[in-house]
Amino acid sequence: MDDRSLHTDEFWMAYAIDSAIQALKNGEFPVGCILVSGDEIVGRGDRINSTGTEENELDHAEIRAIRDWKKRGGKKGGFTAYTTLEPCLMCLGALILNGARRIVYAYEDVMGGAAGIDFNQAFSGCANREVHLYWNFSKRIKGRVLRSESLRLFKEFFANPGNTYLKGTELERYTLSQK
């Protein structure tokens, strides 16, 4: 451990950024995620298969962190997720359904981020039932924690002409325009 306080979002986000750095070193989109319960990392994931022959949109860092947590014997609920990019709808849903108490992210995803969805509004479910997922985002989600550190990784990724993932998208344009 280093001298950062164990009880700060910045402390834990630094570990997620370490996972994102590993993804970038592997030529992947630099997203890292850790799951924390108490003062312990209980799940860890970095983005894989954003490029290459196995390219897909399923192997997101958050999904991999949840899988790691489950392999370690994780049971529903009781963790905070720290991720370097605002979760997409798939990852946000998976985190919520697996019982995340909080979600903390570093960099906003202007193209696919789902942190602003209002689950307090009813939406139609099966057989015309109304479903509510009362998950208070204003109290449970926090963005922009170590944003500049995460932004640097995304800028490095997009500035590399060898990386083609999400090239020409709004996320690339937005990221490269940030100071």
Short mmCIF file of all heavy atoms in Angstrom, two decimals, residues 2 22 24 26 33 35 39 60 84 90 95 109-110 112 115 120 127 139 144 146 158 160 162:
data_model
loop_
_atom_site.label_atom_id
_atom_site.label_comp_id
_atom_site.label_asym_id
_atom_site.label_seq_id
_atom_site.Cartn_x
_atom_site.Cartn_y
_atom_site.Cartn_z
N ASP A 2 0.34 2.31 -0.55
CA ASP A 2 1.08 3.57 -0.53
C ASP A 2 0.43 4.52 0.46
O ASP A 2 -0.37 4.11 1.29
CB ASP A 2 1.15 4.17 -1.94
CG ASP A 2 -0.22 4.39 -2.54
OD1 ASP A 2 -1.17 4.63 -1.78
OD2 ASP A 2 -0.35 4.32 -3.76
N GLN A 22 -2.91 -1.31 -17.87
CA GLN A 22 -2.60 -2.67 -18.36
C GLN A 22 -3.33 -2.94 -19.67
O GLN A 22 -2.75 -3.50 -20.60
CB GLN A 22 -2.97 -3.72 -17.30
CG GLN A 22 -2.54 -5.11 -17.68
CD GLN A 22 -1.04 -5.22 -17.91
OE1 GLN A 22 -0.24 -4.80 -17.09
NE2 GLN A 22 -0.66 -5.77 -19.04
N LEU A 24 -4.28 -0.75 -21.90
CA LEU A 24 -3.62 0.06 -22.93
C LEU A 24 -2.30 -0.58 -23.36
O LEU A 24 -2.00 -0.64 -24.56
CB LEU A 24 -3.39 1.48 -22.41
CG LEU A 24 -2.82 2.49 -23.41
CD1 LEU A 24 -3.76 2.69 -24.59
CD2 LEU A 24 -2.54 3.82 -22.72
N ASN A 26 -1.68 -3.60 -23.46
CA ASN A 26 -2.04 -4.77 -24.26
C ASN A 26 -2.69 -4.39 -25.59
O ASN A 26 -3.19 -5.25 -26.30
CB ASN A 26 -2.97 -5.69 -23.48
CG ASN A 26 -2.28 -6.34 -22.30
OD1 ASN A 26 -1.06 -6.51 -22.30
ND2 ASN A 26 -3.04 -6.70 -21.29
N CYS A 33 -11.62 -1.59 -14.19
CA CYS A 33 -12.66 -1.55 -13.17
C CYS A 33 -12.24 -2.42 -12.00
O CYS A 33 -11.68 -3.50 -12.19
CB CYS A 33 -13.98 -2.08 -13.74
SG CYS A 33 -15.34 -2.13 -12.56
N LEU A 35 -13.84 -3.71 -8.04
CA LEU A 35 -14.96 -3.77 -7.11
C LEU A 35 -14.38 -3.83 -5.71
O LEU A 35 -13.47 -4.62 -5.44
CB LEU A 35 -15.82 -5.01 -7.37
CG LEU A 35 -16.30 -5.19 -8.82
CD1 LEU A 35 -17.13 -6.46 -8.94
CD2 LEU A 35 -17.05 -3.99 -9.32
N ASP A 39 -12.41 -2.63 2.89
CA ASP A 39 -11.09 -2.12 2.47
C ASP A 39 -10.37 -3.14 1.61
O ASP A 39 -9.15 -3.27 1.67
CB ASP A 39 -10.24 -1.78 3.70
CG ASP A 39 -10.62 -0.45 4.32
OD1 ASP A 39 -11.25 0.38 3.62
OD2 ASP A 39 -10.31 -0.23 5.50
N HIS A 60 -16.27 -6.04 -21.55
CA HIS A 60 -16.01 -4.76 -20.91
C HIS A 60 -15.38 -4.99 -19.54
O HIS A 60 -15.57 -6.04 -18.91
CB HIS A 60 -17.29 -3.96 -20.77
CG HIS A 60 -17.83 -3.45 -22.06
ND1 HIS A 60 -18.76 -2.43 -22.12
CD2 HIS A 60 -17.57 -3.80 -23.34
CE1 HIS A 60 -19.06 -2.18 -23.38
NE2 HIS A 60 -18.36 -3.00 -24.14
N THR A 84 -12.92 3.42 -14.94
CA THR A 84 -12.25 4.58 -15.53
C THR A 84 -13.09 5.26 -16.61
O THR A 84 -12.76 6.36 -17.03
CB THR A 84 -10.89 4.19 -16.13
OG1 THR A 84 -11.07 3.19 -17.13
CG2 THR A 84 -9.96 3.69 -15.04
N MET A 90 -25.22 -1.71 -20.62
CA MET A 90 -25.01 -3.12 -20.27
C MET A 90 -24.28 -3.23 -18.93
O MET A 90 -24.70 -3.97 -18.04
CB MET A 90 -24.20 -3.82 -21.36
CG MET A 90 -23.77 -5.23 -21.01
SD MET A 90 -22.74 -6.04 -22.26
CE MET A 90 -21.19 -5.17 -22.11
N LEU A 95 -23.95 -4.11 -13.06
CA LEU A 95 -23.50 -3.68 -11.73
C LEU A 95 -24.67 -3.55 -10.77
O LEU A 95 -24.63 -4.04 -9.64
CB LEU A 95 -22.72 -2.36 -11.83
CG LEU A 95 -21.35 -2.45 -12.50
CD1 LEU A 95 -20.82 -1.07 -12.84
CD2 LEU A 95 -20.36 -3.22 -11.62
N ASP A 109 -18.48 9.19 -20.69
CA ASP A 109 -18.63 8.61 -22.03
C ASP A 109 -19.75 9.35 -22.73
O ASP A 109 -20.93 9.04 -22.54
CB ASP A 109 -18.93 7.11 -21.94
CG ASP A 109 -19.02 6.45 -23.31
OD1 ASP A 109 -19.06 7.16 -24.34
OD2 ASP A 109 -19.06 5.21 -23.35
N VAL A 110 -19.38 10.33 -23.55
CA VAL A 110 -20.38 11.17 -24.21
C VAL A 110 -21.15 10.42 -25.28
O VAL A 110 -22.18 10.90 -25.76
CB VAL A 110 -19.73 12.44 -24.84
CG1 VAL A 110 -19.11 13.30 -23.75
CG2 VAL A 110 -18.72 12.07 -25.91
N GLY A 112 -21.76 6.68 -25.13
CA GLY A 112 -22.50 5.51 -24.66
C GLY A 112 -22.71 5.43 -23.17
O GLY A 112 -23.19 4.41 -22.66
N ALA A 115 -24.93 6.76 -17.11
CA ALA A 115 -25.06 7.20 -15.72
C ALA A 115 -26.21 8.17 -15.51
O ALA A 115 -26.70 8.32 -14.40
CB ALA A 115 -23.75 7.84 -15.24
N ASN A 120 -35.88 5.90 -11.73
CA ASN A 120 -36.99 6.16 -10.83
C ASN A 120 -38.30 6.32 -11.58
O ASN A 120 -39.37 6.31 -10.98
CB ASN A 120 -36.72 7.39 -9.97
CG ASN A 120 -35.56 7.15 -9.03
OD1 ASN A 120 -35.43 6.07 -8.48
ND2 ASN A 120 -34.72 8.14 -8.86
N ALA A 127 -45.83 -8.38 -19.73
CA ALA A 127 -47.27 -8.49 -19.46
C ALA A 127 -47.86 -7.17 -18.95
O ALA A 127 -48.72 -7.15 -18.07
CB ALA A 127 -47.55 -9.62 -18.48
N LYS A 139 -27.36 9.81 -5.25
CA LYS A 139 -26.66 9.38 -4.04
C LYS A 139 -25.71 8.22 -4.29
O LYS A 139 -24.84 7.95 -3.47
CB LYS A 139 -27.67 8.98 -2.97
CG LYS A 139 -28.47 10.14 -2.46
CD LYS A 139 -29.41 9.71 -1.38
CE LYS A 139 -30.22 10.91 -0.89
NZ LYS A 139 -31.25 10.51 0.04
N ARG A 144 -16.17 11.82 -12.50
CA ARG A 144 -15.04 12.74 -12.60
C ARG A 144 -13.99 12.55 -11.51
O ARG A 144 -13.25 13.47 -11.19
CB ARG A 144 -15.51 14.17 -12.69
CG ARG A 144 -16.45 14.42 -13.85
CD ARG A 144 -16.98 15.83 -13.89
NE ARG A 144 -15.93 16.79 -14.21
CZ ARG A 144 -15.60 17.21 -15.43
NH1 ARG A 144 -16.25 16.76 -16.47
NH2 ARG A 144 -14.64 18.09 -15.60
N LEU A 146 -10.54 11.41 -10.51
CA LEU A 146 -9.28 11.23 -11.23
C LEU A 146 -9.51 11.29 -12.75
O LEU A 146 -8.91 10.55 -13.53
CB LEU A 146 -8.55 9.95 -10.84
CG LEU A 146 -8.11 9.84 -9.38
CD1 LEU A 146 -7.28 8.58 -9.16
CD2 LEU A 146 -7.33 11.06 -8.91
N PHE A 158 -6.49 7.11 -28.50
CA PHE A 158 -7.03 7.67 -29.74
C PHE A 158 -5.96 8.33 -30.61
O PHE A 158 -6.12 8.39 -31.82
CB PHE A 158 -8.16 8.65 -29.44
CG PHE A 158 -9.45 7.99 -29.05
CD1 PHE A 158 -10.08 8.33 -27.86
CD2 PHE A 158 -10.04 7.03 -29.85
CE1 PHE A 158 -11.28 7.73 -27.49
CE2 PHE A 158 -11.23 6.42 -29.49
CZ PHE A 158 -11.86 6.77 -28.31
N ASN A 160 -3.04 7.18 -31.16
CA ASN A 160 -2.26 6.13 -31.81
C ASN A 160 -2.96 5.71 -33.10
O ASN A 160 -4.06 5.15 -33.06
CB ASN A 160 -2.13 4.93 -30.86
CG ASN A 160 -1.31 3.81 -31.45
OD1 ASN A 160 -1.08 3.72 -32.65
ND2 ASN A 160 -0.87 2.92 -30.58
N GLY A 162 -2.50 3.28 -34.91
CA GLY A 162 -2.69 1.83 -34.99
C GLY A 162 -3.96 1.34 -34.32
O GLY A 162 -4.41 0.22 -34.58
#
